[in-house]
Amino acid sequence: MKFAEISGQKIAVIALDTLVIGSGCAGFNAADTLWDLGRKEIALLTEGIKMGTSRNTGSDKQTYYKLSLCSDSADSIYELADNLFQGGSVNGDTALAEAAGSLRSFMKLVNLGVPFPTNVYGEYVGYKTDHDPYRRATSCGPLTSKIMTEKLEKSVLSKGIPIYDRMQAVRLLVEDNAVRGVLALDLNRLSGSDLGLTVFLCNQVILATGGPAIAYQASVYPESQTGMTGMALEAGASACNLQEWQYGLASTKFRWNLSGTYQQALPRYIAVDREGKEREFLPEYFETPEQALDLVFLKGYQWPFDTQKVAGSSLIDLIVYHETFHKGNRVFLDFRQNPKGLEKGFSGLSEETRQYLERSGAFQETPVARLSHMNPKAIELYASHDIDLWREPLEAAVCAQHNNGGLAVDLNWQTTVSGLYAAGEAAGTFGIARPGGSALNSTQVGSQRAAEHIADTCRKPVPEEQLPEFAKKAAEELLTQCGRLLSGGETGVREQRAYFQKQMSLFAAQIRSLPEMERLAGEVLETLAGFFEQTAVKDPLELPHAYKNRDMLLVQCAMLSAMGFAGAACGSRGSALIADKSGEPLSMPGFLGEKELAACRYRPGNGSHREDWVETSLEGDGFHSRFVPVRPLPRTDDWFETIWAEYTARKER
């Protein structure tokens, strides 16, 4: 570390080969792989080593999706790649890379000690997840990604890789469309006259900052997860498929996905109005309560909201959304007593529901007893957060859970800015749909490929610690911005964030209004234009939150561009219904809520542009979106001797 004089302040300057930003599954794996490949002048930067999605999220049994490794499953790398590709709007080369890297990445985790279960012969048994034609899914319980993160962290620490903890990246340094460094705020030194500003000079940056979780109010992301996609967009990186998300039912007091056995245990769905009056509401929407229970059961393995299932299990999401956003009620899942429809046992349920519960031995007298039998860890998880499912209901809502899009990347997970890579949820490698658990595979394969590309091809010397003029100018600008924020505006940081998050959840989540999104995009742009004058920052400790808000506004603006563009061209698809007062009603045999859910009428999808992905980039004063043909799925037929020679040449460059 050296120091440079900037605007009368002594600013820390750190020179590196590669900086990894983020301390989740992708970030730790990137640093770990770089070190193993001989790149020692590296470091990892994180706002908080215990923060983020990888360490703080899960479900009833959090899924890791991989190539089948059990029994006589007729699986192959190409079939896995094709299944990813068939999700729609997916680039074929990254799909094939994620499939090809699946086994290697999975076995690295196994060798690090992640306890994925095997049978007595050592086969890694699997189960089917959503959008999965095989039994490729595996899990080591509700905390799979947490365990992965801890094992990868242990490996990084054992190698002595430097970790800059409690550092927030706020700006990428880019010159001639190539990354040259990062400006960060040291969260431990915000009260100093230098405001904790630190300059990192480096040839490569791997962004492993997760998805843009900050965008929504109704969110199952941990509160510590915000993402920093806007920082990359502002630096010139293009985005891919920002309109494609996953939304689903989740608890809100403690943010957690309510998938799998949480639904298959068949809890009561109750609503509590503003006067505190409670009612079980699902039976009101169907001819028989058993119809509602069968759809609740299906939510277990059809957890993400899906426009293809609005005449099926996704009706549950829309009814919950209607109860919360339109009627203003609070919704709870009550595991303490049986829902209506089970007064005379389980005989009235569909054959699929009944057989599953029978094979699971789950005919206990209450939902919590059934859940305890099928998945006791699911109850223990909530108990560890002071929520006793034996004694209290669980508040829930339809929440944003995962962005299938992100920054546009190539075969090596490099963005459109040279030297800037994105891995994990920060990278946009998925499209309209994806198999459940494939995101965890992507964290490992993407970070591995980014590290390998850096090790194989990036030969620039480590920058000198003498500050280049463009970096000095950027640091001066940031200090000036901070001064303007500290001068005091009209809108508080918390109020600003809460307002725009709520607007996104109301008009740009699983139900999207094209006119409201256009209005909101204009409002976001106007706020960005006057951000440093209008935003009120009380003291330097609020500066990081202000920069998070600015990043939020940038990514919301990009999302609204992609959502409006794709919605107008394609109608409803994937996770998003395009609201239309004169559109299709929600209907299925036995459904009685068509009139009540009239606010959820929608424009049907037209099936177009599945062979395109949506590129969004900052152009002038705003974001613009366009369709780009997907890169095709390669069909390899390689001759070993040819590939051996090519591989040897690549590694010796």
Side-chain angles (χ1 to χ4, degrees), residues 384-462:
S384 69
H385 290 84
D386 299 320
I387 299 173
D388 186 352
L389 298 185
W390 292 92
R391 297 178 180 274
E392 60 184 301
L394 191 61
E395 188 163 9
V398 183
C399 296
Q401 186 261 350
H402 186 274
N403 186 204
N404 280 0
L407 296 173
V409 296
D410 64 12
L411 179 58
N412 299 300
W413 271 248
Q414 187 170 206
T415 72
T416 54
V417 174
S418 178
L420 177 64
Y421 299 77
E425 197 182 344
T429 59
F430 300 114
I432 302 169
R434 65 175 180 84
S438 54
L440 289 185
N441 177 65
S442 186
T443 67
Q444 301 307 283
V445 177
S447 53
Q448 171 193 299
R449 289 194 65 87
E452 287 180 333
H453 189 252
I454 291 169
D456 287 347
T457 66
C458 301
R459 300 300 182 191
K460 295 179 182 177
V462 175

Side-chain angles (χ1 to χ4, degrees), residues 500-635:
F500 284 104
Q501 286 177 331
K502 184 175 182 179
Q503 292 288 299
M504 290 292 290
S505 287
L506 281 171
F507 304 117
Q510 72 278 1
I511 297 181
R512 298 176 185 171
S513 166
L514 295 178
E516 290 289 354
M517 288 195 298
E518 184 177 3
R519 172 198 62 78
L520 181 56
E523 197 171 347
V524 172
L525 270 175
E526 184 180 347
T527 304
L528 276 170
F531 183 82
F532 294 107
E533 287 74 29
Q534 297 171 8
T535 306
V537 172
K538 297 176 183 177
D539 59 59
L541 296 180
E542 281 196 338
L543 286 171
H545 303 291
Y547 274 97
K548 279 289 179 66
N549 280 15
R550 189 166 181 275
D551 198 87
M552 173 192 74
L553 293 166
L554 284 163
V555 76
Q556 285 175 337
C557 199
M559 286 168 55
L560 290 165
S561 170
M563 288 174 173
F565 176 77
C570 306
S572 300
R573 75 172 190 176
S575 63
L577 283 185
I578 301 301
D580 187 339
K581 292 180 180 179
S582 60
E584 294 287 331
L586 298 170
S587 180
M588 67 172 287
F591 182 60
L592 304 178
E594 180 179 318
K595 184 176 180 181
E596 188 167 359
L597 266 67
C600 296
R601 281 180 173 266
Y602 65 96
R603 183 183 304 179
N606 56 31
S608 65
H609 294 288
R610 291 182 63 88
E611 294 78 30
D612 300 321
W613 56 277
V614 175
E615 180 184 54
T616 302
S617 55
L618 182 60
E619 299 172 12
D621 294 331
F623 286 92
H624 298 271
S625 297
R626 63 196 62 82
F627 287 118
V628 177
V630 299
R631 302 190 293 270
L633 179 63
R635 189 63 169 173

Side-chain angles (χ1 to χ4, degrees), residues 162-423:
I163 297 176
Y164 291 93
D165 198 3
R166 300 226 358 112
M167 284 264 198
Q168 180 178 317
V170 293
R171 181 168 176 175
L172 291 168
L173 299 176
V174 173
E175 185 182 44
D176 298 328
N177 199 44
V179 72
R180 298 286 302 277
V182 175
L183 298 183
L185 296 177
D186 186 336
L187 304 183
N188 292 317
R189 297 191 297 109
L190 292 169
S191 298
S193 60
D194 63 349
L195 302 175
L197 178 60
T198 306
V199 182
F200 289 88
L201 300 177
C202 51
N203 298 318
Q204 291 83 224
V205 171
I206 300 178
L207 282 180
T209 50
I214 197 173
Y216 288 105
Q217 178 194 62
S219 172
V220 71
Y221 288 96
E223 292 185 13
S224 62
Q225 169 64 32
T226 55
M228 284 300 288
T229 303
M231 177 177 70
L233 296 173
E234 188 175 34
S238 294
C240 174
N241 291 334
L242 284 179
Q243 77 284 356
E244 305 296 350
W245 281 74
Q246 281 191 350
Y247 309 93
L249 288 163
S251 56
T252 55
K253 181 180 176 182
F254 165 58
R255 297 183 174 190
W256 205 256
N257 294 339
L258 291 174
S259 58
T261 45
Y262 290 117
Q263 303 296 335
Q264 290 155 344
L266 303 181
R268 292 173 70 228
Y269 276 66
I270 59 176
V272 179
D273 65 18
R274 291 180 177 89
E275 285 71 45
K277 185 178 179 181
E278 175 186 311
R279 74 186 216 283
E280 184 180 349
F281 62 88
L282 284 183
E284 300 171 4
Y285 292 85
F286 298 90
E287 287 182 355
T288 69
E290 289 86 355
Q291 289 177 305
L293 292 180
D294 287 330
L295 294 182
V296 169
F297 171 80
L298 289 174
K299 285 299 321 167
Y301 58 86
Q302 295 176 0
W303 178 80
F305 176 77
D306 187 347
T307 56
Q308 299 299 306
K309 298 182 177 69
V310 294
S313 61
S314 288
L315 262 180
I316 302 297
D317 303 271
L318 292 172
I319 293 169
V320 170
Y321 175 85
H322 176 63
E323 289 284 336
T324 53
F325 279 92
H326 294 154
K327 299 177 74 170
N329 296 328
R330 298 172 67 188
V331 167
F332 296 82
L333 270 61
D334 184 4
F335 292 86
R336 300 169 298 177
Q337 56 181 294
N338 275 332
K340 293 177 182 178
L342 294 184
E343 294 87 350
K344 297 180 181 180
F346 300 85
S347 59
L349 301 176
S350 70
E351 184 177 356
E352 181 180 8
T353 306
R354 194 174 61 255
Q355 282 192 357
Y356 181 93
L357 294 173
E358 183 177 2
R359 292 189 67 180
S360 301
F363 283 159
Q364 288 75 20
E365 293 185 359
T366 62
V368 70
R370 294 190 286 274
L371 183 60
S372 178
H373 173 77
M374 290 190 287
N375 191 354
K377 288 186 177 180
I379 297 175
E380 294 169 8
L381 174 77
Y382 277 100
S384 69
H385 290 84
D386 299 320
I387 299 173
D388 186 352
L389 298 185
W390 292 92
R391 297 178 180 274
E392 60 184 301
L394 191 61
E395 188 163 9
V398 183
C399 296
Q401 186 261 350
H402 186 274
N403 186 204
N404 280 0
L407 296 173
V409 296
D410 64 12
L411 179 58
N412 299 300
W413 271 248
Q414 187 170 206
T415 72
T416 54
V417 174
S418 178
L420 177 64
Y421 299 77

